[in-house]
Amino acid sequence: GAVVSQHPSWVICKSGTSVKIECRSLDFQATTMFWYRQFPKQSLMLMATSNEGSKATYEQGVEKDKFLINHASLTLSTLTVTSAHPEDSSFYICSAGPRTSGAPETQYFGPGTRLLVL
Amino acid sequence: GDSVTQMEGPVTLSEEAFLTINCTYTATGYPSLFWYVQYPGEGLQLLLKATKADDKGSNKGFEATYRKETTSFHLEKGSVQVSDSAVYFCALINNAGNMLTFGGGTRLMVKP
């Protein structure tokens, strides 16, 4: 159980285009999903918290108009990189966690999406 | 704010060696503690967790004990394999919220 999927796993696009990445919780409902960015040989950087039915909460320094997040249902969140540029090339990872009573949520991660902008 | 500190890598070991990756944390209240593993080119997988003091999380031969007195959650394995080569992340979730705070990651390389 607790599987999170991402699609696509790989995307290569031209500079100036927009790219949408989907994150799905396959066997549980997630009111909150998280989007991370990871640079080579570095830790994960939280970009934003995606809340079902409301606006995402962005971390300081993350452009909300650049990285559009939509959490349309309890099992789907999307990240759209608008007008992508080479500096947006990175590994994007989402996570979600089923809420359990008492202890804070355990988060389960998607397999990641590698974006390369030419 | 909350923080997690891990030993810097890479850690290079021979197969069947004993592994310890140190992790200490700073947090208010009583956080839950986690170890995640990231294999090359993949996302993160939950390896083990502990939700209260003195709990021991274990999985796939790895274990870590939640030590509140030393604010530590060191990862250990008695005999590593080449397939254990990966990056290991220590993390916490504070009971005041649901956001993970990650350590910097430790790369483990196991040689045959």
PDB file of all heavy atoms in Angstrom, chain A residues 79-105:
ATOM      1  N   LEU A  79       1.985  19.717 -11.118  1.00  0.00           N
ATOM      2  CA  LEU A  79       2.960  20.814 -11.119  1.00  0.00           C
ATOM      3  C   LEU A  79       3.227  21.173 -12.572  1.00  0.00           C
ATOM      4  O   LEU A  79       3.614  20.313 -13.364  1.00  0.00           O
ATOM      5  CB  LEU A  79       4.257  20.382 -10.441  1.00  0.00           C
ATOM      6  CG  LEU A  79       5.464  21.317 -10.614  1.00  0.00           C
ATOM      7  CD1 LEU A  79       5.242  22.621  -9.882  1.00  0.00           C
ATOM      8  CD2 LEU A  79       6.748  20.641 -10.118  1.00  0.00           C
ATOM      9  N   THR A  80       2.966  22.427 -12.921  1.00  0.00           N
ATOM     10  CA  THR A  80       3.244  22.893 -14.274  1.00  0.00           C
ATOM     11  C   THR A  80       4.395  23.882 -14.236  1.00  0.00           C
ATOM     12  O   THR A  80       4.302  24.906 -13.546  1.00  0.00           O
ATOM     13  CB  THR A  80       2.011  23.543 -14.915  1.00  0.00           C
ATOM     14  OG1 THR A  80       0.933  22.597 -14.954  1.00  0.00           O
ATOM     15  CG2 THR A  80       2.318  24.006 -16.331  1.00  0.00           C
ATOM     16  N   VAL A  81       5.443  23.550 -14.942  1.00  0.00           N
ATOM     17  CA  VAL A  81       6.579  24.456 -15.085  1.00  0.00           C
ATOM     18  C   VAL A  81       6.300  25.301 -16.318  1.00  0.00           C
ATOM     19  O   VAL A  81       6.297  24.787 -17.440  1.00  0.00           O
ATOM     20  CB  VAL A  81       7.905  23.687 -15.230  1.00  0.00           C
ATOM     21  CG1 VAL A  81       9.081  24.661 -15.293  1.00  0.00           C
ATOM     22  CG2 VAL A  81       8.094  22.703 -14.077  1.00  0.00           C
ATOM     23  N   THR A  82       5.992  26.569 -16.113  1.00  0.00           N
ATOM     24  CA  THR A  82       5.617  27.427 -17.231  1.00  0.00           C
ATOM     25  C   THR A  82       6.840  28.088 -17.853  1.00  0.00           C
ATOM     26  O   THR A  82       7.791  28.446 -17.146  1.00  0.00           O
ATOM     27  CB  THR A  82       4.636  28.507 -16.768  1.00  0.00           C
ATOM     28  OG1 THR A  82       5.279  29.323 -15.785  1.00  0.00           O
ATOM     29  CG2 THR A  82       3.389  27.888 -16.162  1.00  0.00           C
ATOM     30  N   SER A  83       6.800  28.211 -19.181  1.00  0.00           N
ATOM     31  CA  SER A  83       7.881  28.847 -19.915  1.00  0.00           C
ATOM     32  C   SER A  83       9.236  28.348 -19.382  1.00  0.00           C
ATOM     33  O   SER A  83      10.049  29.127 -18.876  1.00  0.00           O
ATOM     34  CB  SER A  83       7.776  30.364 -19.799  1.00  0.00           C
ATOM     35  OG  SER A  83       8.739  31.000 -20.635  1.00  0.00           O
ATOM     36  N   ALA A  84       9.424  27.062 -19.530  1.00  0.00           N
ATOM     37  CA  ALA A  84      10.608  26.435 -18.936  1.00  0.00           C
ATOM     38  C   ALA A  84      11.899  26.938 -19.587  1.00  0.00           C
ATOM     39  O   ALA A  84      11.948  27.213 -20.795  1.00  0.00           O
ATOM     40  CB  ALA A  84      10.510  24.922 -19.075  1.00  0.00           C
ATOM     41  N   HIS A  85      12.935  27.066 -18.793  1.00  0.00           N
ATOM     42  CA  HIS A  85      14.259  27.452 -19.252  1.00  0.00           C
ATOM     43  C   HIS A  85      15.278  26.424 -18.770  1.00  0.00           C
ATOM     44  O   HIS A  85      14.987  25.661 -17.842  1.00  0.00           O
ATOM     45  CB  HIS A  85      14.603  28.857 -18.751  1.00  0.00           C
ATOM     46  CG  HIS A  85      13.824  29.925 -19.438  1.00  0.00           C
ATOM     47  ND1 HIS A  85      12.645  30.418 -18.936  1.00  0.00           N
ATOM     48  CD2 HIS A  85      14.040  30.586 -20.600  1.00  0.00           C
ATOM     49  CE1 HIS A  85      12.168  31.338 -19.754  1.00  0.00           C
ATOM     50  NE2 HIS A  85      12.991  31.455 -20.767  1.00  0.00           N
ATOM     51  N   PRO A  86      16.449  26.410 -19.375  1.00  0.00           N
ATOM     52  CA  PRO A  86      17.452  25.404 -18.985  1.00  0.00           C
ATOM     53  C   PRO A  86      17.733  25.342 -17.491  1.00  0.00           C
ATOM     54  O   PRO A  86      17.978  24.250 -16.958  1.00  0.00           O
ATOM     55  CB  PRO A  86      18.681  25.838 -19.785  1.00  0.00           C
ATOM     56  CG  PRO A  86      18.111  26.462 -21.022  1.00  0.00           C
ATOM     57  CD  PRO A  86      16.877  27.185 -20.547  1.00  0.00           C
ATOM     58  N   GLU A  87      17.649  26.467 -16.805  1.00  0.00           N
ATOM     59  CA  GLU A  87      17.914  26.447 -15.364  1.00  0.00           C
ATOM     60  C   GLU A  87      16.820  25.735 -14.569  1.00  0.00           C
ATOM     61  O   GLU A  87      16.988  25.461 -13.372  1.00  0.00           O
ATOM     62  CB  GLU A  87      18.107  27.869 -14.815  1.00  0.00           C
ATOM     63  CG  GLU A  87      16.954  28.805 -15.047  1.00  0.00           C
ATOM     64  CD  GLU A  87      17.102  29.625 -16.321  1.00  0.00           C
ATOM     65  OE1 GLU A  87      17.749  29.134 -17.276  1.00  0.00           O
ATOM     66  OE2 GLU A  87      16.551  30.746 -16.358  1.00  0.00           O
ATOM     67  N   ASP A  88      15.687  25.444 -15.240  1.00  0.00           N
ATOM     68  CA  ASP A  88      14.620  24.673 -14.577  1.00  0.00           C
ATOM     69  C   ASP A  88      14.867  23.176 -14.664  1.00  0.00           C
ATOM     70  O   ASP A  88      14.141  22.386 -14.042  1.00  0.00           O
ATOM     71  CB  ASP A  88      13.262  24.998 -15.203  1.00  0.00           C
ATOM     72  CG  ASP A  88      12.879  26.450 -15.062  1.00  0.00           C
ATOM     73  OD1 ASP A  88      13.199  27.048 -14.004  1.00  0.00           O
ATOM     74  OD2 ASP A  88      12.279  27.005 -16.005  1.00  0.00           O
ATOM     75  N   SER A  89      15.881  22.780 -15.427  1.00  0.00           N
ATOM     76  CA  SER A  89      16.208  21.362 -15.527  1.00  0.00           C
ATOM     77  C   SER A  89      16.564  20.833 -14.147  1.00  0.00           C
ATOM     78  O   SER A  89      17.404  21.397 -13.447  1.00  0.00           O
ATOM     79  CB  SER A  89      17.387  21.170 -16.483  1.00  0.00           C
ATOM     80  OG  SER A  89      17.066  21.624 -17.774  1.00  0.00           O
ATOM     81  N   SER A  90      15.907  19.758 -13.760  1.00  0.00           N
ATOM     82  CA  SER A  90      16.101  19.235 -12.413  1.00  0.00           C
ATOM     83  C   SER A  90      15.320  17.948 -12.256  1.00  0.00           C
ATOM     84  O   SER A  90      14.678  17.473 -13.196  1.00  0.00           O
ATOM     85  CB  SER A  90      15.617  20.271 -11.389  1.00  0.00           C
ATOM     86  OG  SER A  90      16.016  19.926 -10.084  1.00  0.00           O
ATOM     87  N   PHE A  91      15.395  17.385 -11.085  1.00  0.00           N
ATOM     88  CA  PHE A  91      14.624  16.195 -10.716  1.00  0.00           C
ATOM     89  C   PHE A  91      13.527  16.660  -9.774  1.00  0.00           C
ATOM     90  O   PHE A  91      13.808  17.218  -8.706  1.00  0.00           O
ATOM     91  CB  PHE A  91      15.556  15.185 -10.035  1.00  0.00           C
ATOM     92  CG  PHE A  91      15.008  13.802  -9.894  1.00  0.00           C
ATOM     93  CD1 PHE A  91      14.388  13.166 -10.959  1.00  0.00           C
ATOM     94  CD2 PHE A  91      15.135  13.113  -8.699  1.00  0.00           C
ATOM     95  CE1 PHE A  91      13.903  11.868 -10.838  1.00  0.00           C
ATOM     96  CE2 PHE A  91      14.642  11.820  -8.560  1.00  0.00           C
ATOM     97  CZ  PHE A  91      14.032  11.194  -9.623  1.00  0.00           C
ATOM     98  N   TYR A  92      12.271  16.457 -10.185  1.00  0.00           N
ATOM     99  CA  TYR A  92      11.139  16.919  -9.395  1.00  0.00           C
ATOM    100  C   TYR A  92      10.472  15.703  -8.751  1.00  0.00           C
ATOM    101  O   TYR A  92      10.137  14.730  -9.417  1.00  0.00           O
ATOM    102  CB  TYR A  92      10.139  17.682 -10.269  1.00  0.00           C
ATOM    103  CG  TYR A  92      10.701  18.984 -10.775  1.00  0.00           C
ATOM    104  CD1 TYR A  92      11.428  19.052 -11.963  1.00  0.00           C
ATOM    105  CD2 TYR A  92      10.523  20.165 -10.050  1.00  0.00           C
ATOM    106  CE1 TYR A  92      11.969  20.238 -12.414  1.00  0.00           C
ATOM    107  CE2 TYR A  92      11.054  21.365 -10.500  1.00  0.00           C
ATOM    108  CZ  TYR A  92      11.777  21.390 -11.677  1.00  0.00           C
ATOM    109  OH  TYR A  92      12.311  22.584 -12.124  1.00  0.00           O
ATOM    110  N   ILE A  93      10.267  15.792  -7.451  1.00  0.00           N
ATOM    111  CA  ILE A  93       9.718  14.661  -6.703  1.00  0.00           C
ATOM    112  C   ILE A  93       8.511  15.145  -5.905  1.00  0.00           C
ATOM    113  O   ILE A  93       8.556  16.203  -5.283  1.00  0.00           O
ATOM    114  CB  ILE A  93      10.758  14.075  -5.728  1.00  0.00           C
ATOM    115  CG1 ILE A  93      12.043  13.676  -6.474  1.00  0.00           C
ATOM    116  CG2 ILE A  93      10.192  12.873  -4.994  1.00  0.00           C
ATOM    117  CD1 ILE A  93      13.146  13.204  -5.549  1.00  0.00           C
ATOM    118  N   CYS A  94       7.446  14.353  -5.919  1.00  0.00           N
ATOM    119  CA  CYS A  94       6.294  14.669  -5.100  1.00  0.00           C
ATOM    120  C   CYS A  94       6.178  13.645  -3.978  1.00  0.00           C
ATOM    121  O   CYS A  94       6.751  12.561  -4.038  1.00  0.00           O
ATOM    122  CB  CYS A  94       5.008  14.699  -5.913  1.00  0.00           C
ATOM    123  SG  CYS A  94       4.424  13.084  -6.435  1.00  0.00           S
ATOM    124  N   SER A  95       5.457  14.020  -2.956  1.00  0.00           N
ATOM    125  CA  SER A  95       5.193  13.092  -1.862  1.00  0.00           C
ATOM    126  C   SER A  95       3.800  13.328  -1.326  1.00  0.00           C
ATOM    127  O   SER A  95       3.221  14.400  -1.494  1.00  0.00           O
ATOM    128  CB  SER A  95       6.227  13.231  -0.733  1.00  0.00           C
ATOM    129  OG  SER A  95       6.006  14.414  -0.005  1.00  0.00           O
ATOM    130  N   ALA A  96       3.278  12.317  -0.672  1.00  0.00           N
ATOM    131  CA  ALA A  96       1.959  12.410  -0.046  1.00  0.00           C
ATOM    132  C   ALA A  96       1.939  11.439   1.112  1.00  0.00           C
ATOM    133  O   ALA A  96       2.715  10.481   1.157  1.00  0.00           O
ATOM    134  CB  ALA A  96       0.869  12.072  -1.043  1.00  0.00           C
ATOM    135  N   GLY A  97       1.038  11.690   2.035  1.00  0.00           N
ATOM    136  CA  GLY A  97       0.983  10.791   3.178  1.00  0.00           C
ATOM    137  C   GLY A  97      -0.424  10.610   3.668  1.00  0.00           C
ATOM    138  O   GLY A  97      -1.154  11.598   3.811  1.00  0.00           O
ATOM    139  N   PRO A  98      -0.827   9.376   3.942  1.00  0.00           N
ATOM    140  CA  PRO A  98      -2.138   9.167   4.553  1.00  0.00           C
ATOM    141  C   PRO A  98      -2.093   9.653   5.998  1.00  0.00           C
ATOM    142  O   PRO A  98      -1.109   9.445   6.699  1.00  0.00           O
ATOM    143  CB  PRO A  98      -2.319   7.642   4.489  1.00  0.00           C
ATOM    144  CG  PRO A  98      -0.931   7.101   4.456  1.00  0.00           C
ATOM    145  CD  PRO A  98      -0.100   8.120   3.745  1.00  0.00           C
ATOM    146  N   ARG A  99      -3.132  10.306   6.397  1.00  0.00           N
ATOM    147  CA  ARG A  99      -3.145  10.814   7.766  1.00  0.00           C
ATOM    148  C   ARG A  99      -3.579   9.700   8.715  1.00  0.00           C
ATOM    149  O   ARG A  99      -4.577   9.041   8.490  1.00  0.00           O
ATOM    150  CB  ARG A  99      -4.090  12.002   7.905  1.00  0.00           C
ATOM    151  CG  ARG A  99      -4.154  12.497   9.342  1.00  0.00           C
ATOM    152  CD  ARG A  99      -4.714  13.904   9.426  1.00  0.00           C
ATOM    153  NE  ARG A  99      -3.821  14.891   8.857  1.00  0.00           N
ATOM    154  CZ  ARG A  99      -2.751  15.371   9.480  1.00  0.00           C
ATOM    155  NH1 ARG A  99      -2.423  14.940  10.662  1.00  0.00           N
ATOM    156  NH2 ARG A  99      -1.997  16.274   8.896  1.00  0.00           N
ATOM    157  N   THR A 100      -2.788   9.502   9.722  1.00  0.00           N
ATOM    158  CA  THR A 100      -3.158   8.535  10.760  1.00  0.00           C
ATOM    159  C   THR A 100      -3.383   9.297  12.057  1.00  0.00           C
ATOM    160  O   THR A 100      -2.844  10.372  12.264  1.00  0.00           O
ATOM    161  CB  THR A 100      -2.039   7.496  10.967  1.00  0.00           C
ATOM    162  OG1 THR A 100      -0.825   8.172  11.298  1.00  0.00           O
ATOM    163  CG2 THR A 100      -1.823   6.688   9.705  1.00  0.00           C
ATOM    164  N   SER A 101      -4.161   8.745  12.912  1.00  0.00           N
ATOM    165  CA  SER A 101      -4.457   9.438  14.174  1.00  0.00           C
ATOM    166  C   SER A 101      -3.219   9.449  15.047  1.00  0.00           C
ATOM    167  O   SER A 101      -2.463   8.492  15.102  1.00  0.00           O
ATOM    168  CB  SER A 101      -5.602   8.737  14.891  1.00  0.00           C
ATOM    169  OG  SER A 101      -5.250   7.408  15.189  1.00  0.00           O
ATOM    170  N   GLY A 102      -2.978  10.524  15.722  1.00  0.00           N
ATOM    171  CA  GLY A 102      -1.861  10.585  16.652  1.00  0.00           C
ATOM    172  C   GLY A 102      -0.571  11.028  16.004  1.00  0.00           C
ATOM    173  O   GLY A 102      -0.332  12.211  15.852  1.00  0.00           O
ATOM    174  N   ALA A 103       0.220  10.090  15.554  1.00  0.00           N
ATOM    175  CA  ALA A 103       1.557  10.412  15.066  1.00  0.00           C
ATOM    176  C   ALA A 103       1.478  11.196  13.762  1.00  0.00           C
ATOM    177  O   ALA A 103       0.561  11.016  12.977  1.00  0.00           O
ATOM    178  CB  ALA A 103       2.358   9.129  14.841  1.00  0.00           C
ATOM    179  N   PRO A 104       2.453  12.075  13.551  1.00  0.00           N
ATOM    180  CA  PRO A 104       2.479  12.804  12.287  1.00  0.00           C
ATOM    181  C   PRO A 104       2.551  11.853  11.110  1.00  0.00           C
ATOM    182  O   PRO A 104       3.001  10.721  11.225  1.00  0.00           O
ATOM    183  CB  PRO A 104       3.752  13.646  12.390  1.00  0.00           C
ATOM    184  CG  PRO A 104       3.989  13.779  13.846  1.00  0.00           C
ATOM    185  CD  PRO A 104       3.512  12.519  14.455  1.00  0.00           C
ATOM    186  N   GLU A 105       2.118  12.345   9.981  1.00  0.00           N
ATOM    187  CA  GLU A 105       2.069  11.526   8.789  1.00  0.00           C
ATOM    188  C   GLU A 105       3.427  10.989   8.383  1.00  0.00           C
ATOM    189  O   GLU A 105       4.428  11.645   8.502  1.00  0.00           O
ATOM    190  CB  GLU A 105       1.530  12.353   7.625  1.00  0.00           C
ATOM    191  CG  GLU A 105       0.125  12.867   7.792  1.00  0.00           C
ATOM    192  CD  GLU A 105      -0.269  13.724   6.606  1.00  0.00           C
ATOM    193  OE1 GLU A 105       0.280  13.519   5.517  1.00  0.00           O
ATOM    194  OE2 GLU A 105      -1.114  14.605   6.783  1.00  0.00           O
TER     195      GLU A 105
END
